[in-house]
Amino acid sequence: MTQPDIIVIGGGIAGVSAAAMLACDARVVLIEAEPQLGYHATGRSAAIFIRNYGNDVLRALNALSAPTLQAPDGISDRSLLSPRGEMLIASESETAALEDYAKGATGLERLTAAQAVALVPILRQERIAAAIIEPDAQDIDVDRMLQGYARLVRERGGQTVKGAAVTGLSRTNDCWQVTTATSTWSAPIVVNAAGAWADTVARMAGLAPIGVTPMRRSAVLLNAPDGYQIDAWPLVAGASEGWYAKPDAGRLLVSPADEDPVEPHDAWPDDLVVAEGLHRFEQAVTIPVTRPTHSWAGLRSFTADRTPAVGFDPSTTGFFWLAGQGGYGVQTAPALASICAALCLGHQMPAPPNILDALKPDRFRVT
Ligand SMILES: Cc1cc2nc3c(=O)[nH]c(=O)nc-3n(C[C@H](O)[C@H](O)[C@H](O)COP(=O)(O)OP(=O)(O)OC[C@H]3O[C@@H](n4cnc5c(N)ncnc54)[C@H](O)[C@@H]3O)c2cc1C
């Protein structure tokens, strides 16, 4: 490729989906530090689409993404979603949290404690004061989604460079010079899709950070409890987000739903945090919790208002933020990639002005 029009930094779902959309009309180079795409947050997610998850802006982005996840033209030959459902259960002290979640939500159904236990028979009925289910929540095939977008980048003439950490960024002659250990690229636009490292990349470019905070979230796999067919169970979560559990390829994924702020790094689970989370889970169920067969952690990176930061940085030229996707980055990727392409290339804007305003990356900076 001769000089690209746009360089995307970060090969997680945000960067890869954006690169695919941008490559429709621009020469795109996607640069990823790790030898493989999706190595960090994207490859460690719980892989679920929950329409009502997040604040109003996120709920709008979830709705905008749903059609692409359902009918992923060009990305995959079939839906990236499959039925799961999400059930929230509340003890007496958690009913306010459950009602908070239900406010402004769509498609929820109320359940009695007995109905909740009928769906997930290991739950302790006497601890359930209230329950709701979002039947429309779906599993996402994240790997197929990521590989599908990566293939689109290739098919549209884009170039992907893996195992190449960006170490320098400067703007000269109306272009960003992007340096890795082995090469230098130059383009008028840079997209910062570096996940937990988004502020690090901004600082490299001499820009003020916006406060993207990586928060560790852990998960373990347990063997399926003896005597239960778990595959059709919905994801079930404590209403105050102290734990959640969902079937995962024949085993039970349990997360302590931790949210500990950390420096950007290759995350691993903290044993104590996992043990405390498993204890909270164990109090809600009738089965003994067995030793995890596998555990991992990833970084969910949040801005101060828990809404992504998407748009050009007004303090310079050609620096685009695509960061702060928090716990929603897989399910909102199609919408955010389209918004990125619309803002960079003048494509038709898929989101209304109030959503674009809410995503403005400089909203945290004191003027
Ligand atoms: C346990 C867990 C459960 C989750 N569950 C869900 C869920 O069910 N549904 C959902 O929608 N979301 C979920 N998430 C959140 C979701 O995984 C993230 O929001 C999403 O993956 C963020 O994508 P990203 O591309 O921004 O970040 P990442 O996937 O982290 O990608 C950023 C990439 O940038 C690269 N990079 C950084 N610095 C540089 C540099 N200098 N040069 C080159 N490359 C660089 C990194 O190597 C990395 O690969 C979950 C997250 C976790 C941890």
Side-chain angles (χ1 to χ4, degrees):
M1 186 189 285
T2 52
Q3 183 184 313
D5 303 308
I6 302 176
I7 296 168
V8 178
I9 302 173
I13 193 62
V16 179
S17 57
M21 299 308 289
L22 291 164
C24 283
D25 273 335
R27 290 165 300 186
V28 175
V29 170
L30 169 68
I31 303 181
E32 166 53 46
E34 303 290 348
Q36 73 198 65
L37 300 176
Y39 174 78
H40 287 286
T42 299
R44 307 176 192 202
S45 92
I48 189 137
F49 173 87
I50 303 173
R51 196 176 287 271
N52 292 303
Y53 197 33
N55 60 31
D56 288 349
V57 177
L58 284 150
R59 288 177 181 186
L61 295 169
N62 299 339
L64 278 173
S65 293
T68 302
L69 294 169
Q70 196 72 60
D73 280 354
I75 304 161
S76 182
D77 56 0
R78 61 191 189 286
S79 174
L80 295 163
L81 302 178
S82 54
R84 174 58 59 203
E86 188 221 13
M87 181 163 73
L88 283 187
I89 58 169
S91 60
E92 282 298 346
S93 62
E94 291 177 314
T95 51
L98 185 130
E99 293 311 325
D100 243 21
Y101 184 88
K103 248 181 246 154
T106 54
L108 297 185
E109 293 169 18
R110 301 264 169 188
L111 298 176
T112 62
Q115 286 171 321
V117 175
L119 284 172
V120 180
I122 58 170
L123 294 175
R124 278 186 193 282
Q125 186 165 334
E126 70 279 11
R127 291 181 59 93
I128 303 176
I132 48 178
I133 188 162
E134 180 178 326
D136 178 42
Q138 319 230 18
D139 281 342
I140 309 173
D141 190 332
V142 180
D143 189 52
R144 187 150 53 85
M145 178 178 178
L146 185 72
Q147 298 312 328
Y149 274 122
R151 200 183 47 253
L152 269 187
V153 175
R154 277 196 305 279
E155 285 171 7
R156 293 173 176 170
Q159 184 175 343
T160 299
V161 185
K162 292 183 259 186
V166 171
T167 51
L169 259 174
S170 60
R171 193 162 171 93
T172 42
N173 302 329
D174 293 335
C175 275
W176 287 100
Q177 315 297 324
V178 178
T179 312
T180 72
T182 53
S183 54
T184 297
W185 300 87
S186 170
I189 295 178
V190 157
V191 175
N192 176 8
W197 291 266
D199 273 349
T200 312
V201 165
R203 279 195 201 95
M204 237 182 250
L207 303 177
I210 57 168
V212 175
T213 307
M215 308 253 203
R216 187 190 51 220
R217 171 142 303 183
S218 320
V220 302
L221 290 178
L222 305 177
N223 282 329
D226 282 344
Y228 293 97
Q229 276 298 333
I230 70 167
D231 292 348
W233 289 358
L235 181 152
V236 55
S240 52
E241 278 214 61
W243 60 273
Y244 67 84
K246 70 172 279 216
D248 185 303
R251 286 185 283 182
L252 201 56
L253 181 161
V254 181
S255 171
D258 43 331
E259 229 177 65
D260 298 314
V262 291
E263 289 299 311
H265 69 293
D266 190 353
W268 69 90
D270 177 299
D271 287 347
L272 185 62
V273 168
V274 169
E276 286 171 354
L278 286 177
H279 177 65
R280 291 191 292 275
F281 169 67
E282 196 162 31
Q283 287 177 317
V285 297
T286 54
I287 52 155
V289 169
T290 53
R291 195 182 168 77
T293 58
H294 184 56
S295 65
W296 70 94
L299 303 181
R300 299 153 85 240
S301 298
F302 288 94
T303 64
D305 61 7
R306 297 178 77 89
T307 301
V310 181
F312 282 104
D313 192 315
S315 70
T316 184
T317 307
F319 187 94
F320 192 96
W321 288 86
L322 184 56
Q325 290 87 342
Y328 329 94
V330 179
Q331 65 178 31
T332 57
L336 295 181
S338 300
I339 291 172
C340 172
L343 290 170
C344 290
L345 303 172
H347 283 178
Q348 195 188 351
M349 177 52 67
N354 63 319
I355 298 296
L356 294 185
D357 278 350
L359 296 173
K360 279 190 173 155
D362 60 324
R363 64 190 185 275
F364 309 105
R365 290 199 184 124
V366 181
T367 48

